[in-house]
């Protein structure tokens, strides 16, 4: 819902005024770009010579030991959206190759579920490793393994062992081998975050570290005017690193998202993108240009803050090799949007924030994601075919399989540098790190049911209602 051409045109008028020239408010975007270039000398916006940024990094050949390395297991990752989860059943997902199950330990009273705390366990019963995600959340708020009816409370303790004799039951249930592995969790901004380190030290460290958040929602003053709009979730057929390389690239919006955020035939033009914050192991990296600030905060957030009171919160969690879970939402400054910023297409924003059902908002977001999901899936496969993988021991590096001569690529390049020099080269998977084979059709990439609907109670309920209406219409037609 953002019109970069309008943003550029308004920026041109501001720069033109600063340079002592004029730019008519009625000029179209392409004239605005011409005007901008005509004043570039005074504004120091001269189009740079062709430079391969991948070859100018003074740290490119440094040994990784020269930098503190990011600790992947000692970080918070968003794994689900609270409003999307049905508290009456367990939910299966993955984190860095770890199989986990999410469930709510609240009891059911008079047929109604009372919300308790959201819990995350290893998705394996300690009995014989059957998946707890195939179990049930019982009326007392316990998690029942559907294989042999072992029950667990929210702390992971075994509370019922039906096949043990009474005189041995207490002894068997108290064994440390009967306890589930429980992951630390936090709820922030409607998201459930998980900390993958379950060691005693890791649990202590989790309490002292904050997850990456949008600070405008937590500042006592700013939160009065910044509001968050519905959160969407989508499992994607592409890797965590490819997703964030894309999220740090503003130039693709005008082309890949044709007719939503730009026109691929008329809008692409040179614009400046500069480093905004240097590489830092725990702080990530940020770049800035006319499309705003693109701020990568390890390990799971790109905050894109634009002029005109708009923030894109782009979360992404590594699930398994070649797959990731994207969670995103809009944050809007109501005071700025109330005026004529010239940056935000208000009619498009209203489509996502107005009186539109949540399920329809989620559906519209899927259309946006579909526009580059195919490109990114095959980009990752092409990288692999050419010898580059985001992991230790990769045969080639990113700069050897890509040609990035323009300044607009700097966000993607800086992210790849962070990953290579500050984070061990890639996600330290807790499963087989082999990238799955290339999909030869787009059916799985566009499969909204398996990638979203089955994991979202709002959309699942809407899907059921639509089917009821469809069946009713068939019955009335033949009645």
């Amino acid at each position: 819902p953002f019109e970069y051409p309008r943003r550029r045109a308004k920026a041109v008028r501001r720069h033109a005024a600063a340079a002592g020239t004029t730019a008519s408010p009625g000029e179209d975007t392409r004239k605005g770009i011409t005007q901008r270039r005509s004043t570039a000398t005074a504004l120091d916006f001269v189009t740079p010579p062709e430079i391969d940024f991948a070859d100018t990094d003074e740290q490119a050949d440094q040994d990784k030991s020269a930098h503190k390395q990011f600790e992947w297991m000692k970080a918070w990752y968003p794994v689900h959206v609270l409003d999307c989860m049905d508290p009456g059943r367990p939910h299966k997902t993955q984190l860095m190759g770890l199989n986990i199950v999410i469930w709510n330990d609240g009891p059911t009273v008079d047929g109604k579920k009372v919300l308790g705390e959201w819990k995350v366990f290893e998705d394996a019963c300690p009995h014989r490793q059957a998946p707890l995600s195939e179990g049930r959340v019982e009326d007392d708020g316990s998690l029942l393994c559907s294989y042999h009816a072992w029950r667990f409370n929210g702390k992971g303790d075994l509370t019922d062992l039906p096949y043990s004799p009474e005189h041995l039951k207490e002894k068997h249930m108290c064994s440390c081998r009967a306890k589930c592995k429980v992951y630390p969790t936090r709820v922030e901004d409607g998201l459930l975050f998980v900390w993958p380190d379950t060691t005693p030290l890791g649990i202590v460290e989790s309490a002292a570290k904050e997850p990456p958040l949008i600070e405008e929602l937590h500042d006592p003053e700013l939160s009065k005017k910044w509001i968050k709009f519905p959160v969407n979730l989508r499992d994607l057929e592409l890797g965590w690193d490819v997703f964030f390389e894309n999220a740090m690239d503003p130039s693709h919006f005008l082309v890949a998202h044709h007719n939503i955020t730009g026109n691929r035939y008329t809008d692409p033009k040179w614009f400046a993108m500069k480093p905004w914050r240097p590489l830092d192991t725990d702080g990530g990296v940020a770049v800035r240009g006319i499309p705003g600030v693109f701020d990568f905060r390890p390990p799971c957030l790109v905050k894109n803050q634009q002029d005109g009171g708009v923030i894109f919160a782009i979360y992404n969690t590594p699930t398994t090799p070649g797959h990731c879970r994207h969670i995103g939402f809009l944050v809007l400054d109501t005071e700025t949007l109330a005026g004529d910023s010239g940056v935000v297409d208000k009619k498009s924003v209203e489509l996502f924030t107005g009186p539109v059902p949540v399920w329809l908002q989620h559906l519209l977001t899927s259309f946006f994601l579909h526009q580059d999901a195919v490109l990114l899936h095959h980009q990752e496969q092409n990288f692999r075919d050419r010898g580059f993988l985001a992991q230790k021991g990769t045969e080639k590096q990113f700069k050897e399989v890509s040609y990035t001569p323009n300044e607009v690529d700097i966000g993607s390049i800086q992210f790849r540098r962070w990953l290579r020099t500050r984070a061990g080269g890639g996600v330290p998977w807790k499963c087989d790190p082999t990238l799955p084979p290339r999909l030869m059709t787009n059916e799985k990439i566009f499969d909204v049911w398996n990638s979203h609907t089955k994991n979202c109670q709002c959309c699942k309920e809407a899907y059921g209602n639509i089917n009821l209406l469809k069946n009713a219409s068939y019955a009335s037609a033949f009645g």
Side-chain angles (χ1 to χ4, degrees):
F2 314 109
E3 293 189 340
Y4 288 121
R6 293 180 64 199
R7 176 195 306 282
R8 288 200 297 266
K10 184 164 186 179
V12 166
R13 290 194 290 272
R14 290 198 302 265
H15 296 324
T21 62
T22 59
S24 171
E27 288 180 322
D28 63 21
T29 301
R30 298 182 71 179
K31 291 179 180 178
I33 292 298
T34 302
Q35 178 66 32
R36 172 183 172 170
R37 288 179 174 171
S38 71
T39 62
T41 302
L43 299 169
D44 196 23
F45 272 118
V46 178
T47 303
E50 185 175 288
I51 298 173
D52 189 346
F53 289 96
D55 291 331
T56 61
D57 183 7
E58 62 183 10
Q59 301 168 334
D61 297 323
Q62 286 189 8
D63 186 82
K64 295 182 181 65
S65 63
H67 305 288
K68 172 188 173 185
Q69 294 295 293
F70 183 74
E71 296 185 80
W72 292 87
M73 295 295 287
K74 298 181 183 299
W76 289 103
Y77 298 83
V79 295
H80 223 303
V81 179
L82 266 59
D83 289 343
C84 289
M85 287 190 288
D86 178 357
R89 67 177 183 89
H91 299 264
K92 178 179 182 177
T93 189
Q94 293 167 302
L95 171 60
M96 295 196 296
L98 299 168
N99 294 311
I100 58 177
V101 57
I102 306 167
W103 61 287
N104 192 281
D105 68 354
T108 299
V109 179
D110 297 329
K112 185 176 181 180
K113 176 75 174 182
V114 178
L115 281 180
E117 295 183 357
W118 288 101
K119 303 294 182 179
V120 176
F121 287 4
E122 180 182 26
D123 192 14
C125 179
H127 178 208
R128 278 159 52 188
Q129 305 303 307
L132 292 170
S133 57
E134 294 297 324
R136 296 168 50 88
V137 178
E138 296 298 317
D139 287 349
D140 64 354
S142 63
L143 181 62
L144 175 82
C145 178
S146 60
Y147 198 14
H148 295 97
W150 288 33
R151 289 191 188 217
F152 304 91
N153 62 20
K155 298 178 180 179
D157 299 324
L158 183 62
T159 60
D160 191 21
L161 191 57
Y163 291 107
S164 284
E166 287 299 324
H167 68 286
L168 293 176
K169 181 177 286 191
E170 189 69 24
K171 177 182 178 181
H172 291 167
M173 290 195 303
C174 289
S175 170
C176 62
R177 298 182 64 187
K179 188 177 178 69
C180 289
K181 180 183 286 188
V182 182
Y183 293 94
T185 59
R186 280 188 64 165
V187 171
E188 298 284 355
D189 297 335
L191 310 182
L192 179 65
F193 287 83
V194 174
W195 180 278
D197 184 359
T198 61
T199 65
L201 177 60
I203 293 173
V204 171
E205 291 174 324
S206 71
K209 188 171 182 178
E210 294 293 318
L213 301 174
I214 304 300
E215 54 268 27
E216 284 80 358
L217 298 176
H218 297 269
D219 184 286
E221 291 301 319
L222 294 177
S223 61
K224 295 176 183 178
K225 64 175 184 173
W226 287 89
I227 53 177
K228 176 172 69 71
F229 284 93
V231 185
N232 190 35
L233 172 147
R234 184 72 184 265
D235 291 326
L236 300 172
E237 294 287 329
L238 51 101
W240 171 91
D241 61 297
V242 175
F243 179 97
F244 271 143
E245 178 196 317
N246 170 266
M248 291 291 286
D249 167 28
S251 62
H252 88 276
F253 289 124
L254 302 174
V255 181
H257 299 294
H258 180 63
N259 284 336
I260 295 182
T261 57
N263 184 307
R264 65 168 64 104
Y265 302 107
T266 60
D267 292 341
K269 301 287 190 299
W270 174 85
F271 58 85
M273 289 295 294
K274 301 292 185 183
W276 184 246
R277 196 178 69 243
L279 289 174
D280 180 76
T281 298
D282 294 318
V285 67
V287 296
R288 180 182 176 89
I290 289 178
V293 175
F294 290 77
D295 186 352
F296 168 63
R297 302 177 182 183
C300 58
L301 174 64
V302 165
K303 177 186 177 184
N304 172 212
Q305 185 156 7
Q306 306 180 9
D307 294 335
V310 177
I311 294 174
F312 252 144
I314 307 170
Y315 284 99
N316 180 37
T317 294
T319 51
T320 59
H323 302 90
C324 61
R325 171 162 284 188
H326 164 54
I327 298 174
F329 56 86
L330 277 171
V331 183
L332 303 179
D333 179 349
T334 53
E335 293 181 4
T336 304
L337 284 175
D340 183 14
S341 67
V343 175
V344 180
D345 177 18
K346 294 179 177 58
K347 290 184 179 179
S348 296
V349 169
E350 287 171 0
L351 188 63
F352 290 87
T353 61
V356 178
V358 171
W359 65 267
L360 182 55
Q361 294 173 347
H362 288 180
L363 183 63
L364 293 171
T365 303
S366 290
F367 293 150
F368 182 85
L369 293 172
H370 286 168
Q371 289 187 298
D372 52 10
V374 173
L375 301 174
L376 297 180
H377 170 79
H378 290 287
Q379 176 192 8
E380 183 174 31
Q381 295 292 329
N382 289 342
F383 279 161
R384 187 262 305 275
D385 292 347
R386 287 155 178 77
F388 169 62
L389 289 169
Q391 57 185 238
K392 289 182 178 179
T394 180
E395 178 185 344
K396 293 184 178 180
Q397 297 297 333
F398 173 72
K399 67 178 182 179
E400 297 178 90
V401 298
S402 61
Y403 176 54
T404 53
N406 293 312
E407 211 171 330
V408 295
D409 291 317
I410 195 169
S412 300
I413 294 168
Q414 288 290 80
F415 166 73
R416 287 292 182 182
R417 286 175 181 162
W418 177 88
L419 192 59
R420 184 183 74 252
T421 64
R422 304 316 202 273
V427 178
W429 298 107
K430 302 303 177 182
C431 63
D432 182 352
T434 304
L435 183 69
R438 185 189 300 267
L439 298 174
M440 300 312 296
T441 69
N442 296 336
E443 182 179 354
K444 195 171 184 180
I445 297 173
F446 295 155
D447 182 358
V448 178
W449 170 262
N450 284 301
S451 63
H452 173 78
T453 306
K454 73 176 186 181
N455 298 314
C456 176
Q457 63 174 347
C458 297
C459 294
K460 195 173 182 180
E461 181 180 349
Y463 180 76
N465 291 337
I466 290 171
N467 277 335
L468 287 175
L469 290 173
K470 183 173 68 174
N471 294 335
S473 65
Y474 289 159
S476 62
F478 292 99

